[in-house]
Every structure is written in C-alpha cells, then in structure tokens.
Amino acid sequence: MVSSANAHAAAGRRPLVVGNWKMNGTRVSCVELLAGLRAAGPFDAEVSVCCPFPYLADVALSLQGSGIGWGAQDCSQHEPGAYTGEVAAVMLAEFGCRHVIVGHSERRLHHAESDTLVADKARLALSHGLTPIVCVGETRAERDAGSTELVVKRQLSAVIHTLGHCVSQIVVAYEPVWAIGTGLTATPQQAQAVHAVLRAQLLAASTRAGEMRLLYGGSVNAGNAQELFAQPDIDGALVGGASLKVADFSAICRAASHVALGSIGKSRT
Ligand code: 13P
C-alpha cells in the first residue's frame, strides 16, 4: 500500500496550513505572533495567515520575505463601487494577499451568505489572482439527520457551477460546523470520508482535481494534526483558535511539513 504521505506527494499536493484569526488580536499582538512564527519557520508545508482587514498592511510588512503567505477572511462579490463596508478582492490583491477565505460557516450563519453568493465571491477572488479558500460543512443537526454528504455537495456544486473547470484553482476547506471552536474534532476517518466525497465531486468537474488541496478545519490542534494529515485526502488545515498561539500553530505547520517531506514523523534537517 502507498503510504498516505506518498499519496499527497505523488499527486503533487504540497500541504497547506492556514491560520484564520477571525476577529481576534490587536496591532501589537499580531506583530508579536508573526515574529514568533517567522522564528519558528521556515516550514516545508505552505503556511498562510488570514487576518482582520485593518491589520493587512502590518501583516504584509511582518511577513515580507518569510515565505509565509497572508490573506483575508472574506471579500465582496462586487468590484469596487458604492458598497459601504465591503472590501473588494482587487484591494486585497493590492496588499499582496495570497488567499481569501470565502463561505466560512460563521458568515453563512451570521450574514446569511448563500451558496451562490459564496460562489460569486470565489469567482471575483480568482479573477484578481487570489486563491479562494471555499469553506463547506454541515451542522450537528444535518449530520444527525444523515445529510452531511448532501449538504457539502450542494455547497460545492454552486462553486463548480460558477467556476467550471477553473474550480481546480481553488482550495476547499471542509469544516463541520459542530467541530468549530468546540474542541470536538471530526475523527480522521470521518473527515477523510467527507474529503473523499468532495474529491470525487471535484474530479467529475476537472481533470486537475487530483492536484487540489482539501483542508480540514474544526478544532485542529498540535495533538491531532498529524493523524488528520495522515489521511490520503486531507492536504492540510484551516486553523482557528490554535493559530493564535505560536507554539501550537507552528507545531501544526511542522506536522504538515513532515507530510511535505514525504515521511510522517521524520524531522526537518
Ligand atoms: P477552530 O480551530 O477554533 O475550531 O476554528 C476552526 C475554523 O473555523 C477555522 O476557519
């Protein structure tokens, strides 16, 4: 049997770990956190942090030349214009953003974002050279009702419909809503099962889907990351709470780097 680490490498998928700071931090704490992260690197996995909009300039300055990327947690579905309070994808590109999260469950829930709206945001992000990280995931009630697969496929199919074969340029994050910020993580087997469903759906839409990174998110921490990354279709993580602590986040980045090196458990030399 091909080891899972080899499965990632054979498919040309470099593991990706993204920190989602959500609405946390201060200007001072952000800069401190990034200084610690820079010192902990470099990492063989790709690493990126998605910060609140007002901190983008500071984050760009702190991470310049470090190899660590940065991005935002949302963007508008519109080009610049009369949309008070919104931030356009082209503005994020101006700040050197590599990634932008779209369709996070907290936005779907608190801002009533629909599947088609999320797809439109992903399209705008791509058109300005950003990589959208599209989040999908079921609630506890949906899982209990046995509709996990139905829900995530519906969410992803809106994006596939809008992007067509260009869908291979996005990153997908599976984040079961019941695992976010709760300390409850999907088991590696539960997460892998959903990732396999998503991969199959993507493969039907694009011949390049085998190269796409599918991230898992939901209470990822230093203790559970390695086992999650050992799954053949889990190519990294979208990390909330643990991304605010240098030691925890860098341990997760190191776990992903072991996969990048093609040997789980092997230290970087
Ligand atoms: P936690 O890692 O805090 O559960 O958050 C996950 C998440 O929502 C990342 O986008």
Side-chain angles (χ1 to χ4, degrees):
M1 197 182 103
V2 181
S3 85
S4 56
N6 289 342
H8 296 101
R13 302 196 297 258
R14 184 181 177 205
L16 169 64
V17 179
V18 179
N20 174 10
W21 290 357
K22 307 194 180 184
M23 197 172 70
N24 289 297
T26 63
R27 279 187 87 170
V28 171
S29 73
C30 291
V31 170
E32 279 172 9
L33 177 57
L34 295 177
L37 192 58
R38 270 192 90 132
F43 304 103
D44 290 296
E46 184 180 355
V47 175
S48 187
V49 293
C50 291
C51 67
F53 295 129
Y55 301 148
L56 269 175
D58 288 341
V59 169
L61 243 140
S62 297
L63 290 179
Q64 207 86 55
S66 69
I68 299 170
W70 59 90
Q73 300 166 18
D74 185 35
C75 68
S76 172
Q77 73 275 30
H78 300 293
E79 293 290 10
Y83 299 100
T84 303
E86 294 287 289
V87 175
V90 68
M91 296 170 179
L92 300 179
E94 225 185 325
F95 280 85
C97 288
R98 198 187 286 175
H99 297 106
V100 58
I101 298 169
V102 295
H104 191 281
S105 62
E106 287 151 15
R107 293 212 59 89
R108 291 180 190 261
L109 178 69
H110 303 306
H111 302 270
E113 293 199 356
S114 67
D115 297 338
T116 50
L117 178 83
V118 171
D120 286 341
K121 290 183 173 197
R123 183 175 51 77
L124 252 282
L126 268 186
S127 74
H128 290 291
L130 304 168
T131 300
I133 299 171
V134 177
C135 301
V136 299
E138 82 288 1
T139 62
R140 177 86 259 171
E142 288 164 340
R143 174 161 283 265
D144 290 346
S147 19
T148 297
E149 199 171 310
L150 204 77
V151 170
V152 298
K153 282 172 95 170
R154 189 204 71 221
Q155 292 170 332
L156 186 57
S157 88
V159 181
I160 291 172
H161 179 77
T162 298
L163 300 184
H165 63 88
C166 291
V167 76
S168 64
Q169 294 168 36
I170 73 169
V171 168
V172 175
Y174 167 56
E175 298 206 312
V177 179
W178 50 270
I180 295 177
T182 57
L184 295 171
T185 320
T187 64
Q189 294 71 27
Q190 281 175 323
Q192 166 58 28
V194 177
H195 280 230
V197 165
L198 296 172
R199 178 88 64 199
Q201 189 181 2
L202 289 162
L203 276 167
S206 165
T207 49
R208 309 203 65 171
E211 298 159 31
M212 290 177 66
R213 271 95 55 94
L214 309 187
L215 312 183
Y216 169 77
S219 300
V220 175
N221 59 43
N224 60 24
Q226 184 159 324
E227 217 191 332
L228 285 161
F229 299 156
Q231 301 301 312
D233 286 297
I234 299 181
D235 309 304
L238 183 54
V239 185
S243 73
L244 298 168
K245 297 176 201 133
V246 173
D248 293 15
F249 191 58
S250 43
I252 295 167
C253 296
R254 275 194 298 275
S257 298
H258 293 154
V259 179
L261 287 168
S263 164
I264 290 172
K266 185 175 130 190
S267 302
R268 191 171 193 278
T269 49

